Amino acid sequence: MVSSQKIVEALKQQNITHAIGVPDNGSAQIYERLRKESDIDVITVSREGEAFAVAAGLFVGGKKPVIIIQNTGFLESGDAFRGTVYNMKIPVVVFIGYRGYHNRDEHGKWVDSVATFLEPTLKAWSLPYKMLASDTDITSIDWAFQKSAETSLPSAVLLIGHAK
């Protein structure tokens, strides 16, 4: 498990101004900690696709947002991703909860089909990513911000399991 406190500290070091998304079981602790930060505004949206439009608008307005959503919502919001942050070249980091990652059958195959689709979709959509499964992977966050800054495109951090 990864510490939500370490994630929030890494986000603060990146000077993010807003966290946008739909909280889920895996990201609940991250959102809870972010809401306590006076210099970070948390914006919850009703659909994940809205998070991409809001992040694009904030970036154009001079802010530094981050998106935090689950893989099911990310897949559902493909056109919003394409039409905003990707086509507009918005260098936003997207944290994606990897629901189903640990749920495998006795043969090692994923039980939840969303786990099967996530990484091939990220590759098809040219969204570079790194995994964040424990505190030893916390540098994945810095990598994602660096990658986005270098390319002027979004990048992703895949959250494996629940943040504690």
Side-chain angles (χ1 to χ4, degrees):
M1 255 190 218
V2 64
S3 162
S4 59
Q5 182 61 40
K6 294 238 185 236
I7 292 172
V8 171
E9 288 170 6
L11 293 174
K12 288 173 63 176
Q13 288 177 353
Q14 292 294 333
N15 298 313
I16 69 152
T17 59
H18 295 77
I20 307 140
V22 179
D24 61 80
N25 291 338
S27 65
Q29 291 296 317
I30 300 167
Y31 276 103
E32 188 175 310
R33 288 189 185 277
L34 285 168
R35 284 187 182 94
K36 294 176 184 174
E37 297 295 329
S38 60
D39 52 344
I40 299 172
D41 290 325
V42 175
I43 301 172
T44 53
V45 293
S46 59
R47 302 288 297 194
E48 287 84 349
E50 295 170 344
F52 293 98
V54 171
L58 287 166
F59 178 80
V60 169
K63 304 299 181 183
K64 189 172 183 181
V66 66
I67 297 170
I68 307 171
I69 57 177
Q70 193 178 66
N71 53 3
T72 53
F74 175 75
L75 294 173
E76 183 270 331
S77 61
D79 193 49
F81 166 80
R82 179 204 58 79
T84 56
V85 298
Y86 191 82
N87 282 355
M88 293 172 64
K89 297 186 183 233
I90 305 291
V92 68
V93 173
V94 184
F95 283 75
I96 303 172
Y98 206 145
R99 191 185 106 195
Y101 182 81
H102 294 292
N103 299 335
R104 299 174 194 249
D105 66 15
E106 64 275 3
H107 305 291
K109 293 187 179 184
W110 277 309
V111 175
D112 190 338
S113 62
V114 71
T116 306
F117 295 133
L118 180 60
E119 289 185 73
T121 301
L122 294 173
K123 290 173 184 170
W125 292 354
S126 299
L127 182 59
Y129 64 91
K130 293 253 184 184
M131 306 269 200
L132 178 55
S134 70
D135 287 347
T136 59
D137 304 322
I138 206 74
T139 58
S140 297
I141 295 172
D142 292 337
W143 172 88
F145 279 95
Q146 175 89 21
K147 186 75 170 172
S148 287
E150 289 172 358
T151 63
S152 290
L153 289 168
S155 64
V157 175
L158 305 185
L159 295 170
I160 309 299
H162 293 10
K164 59 181 178 174

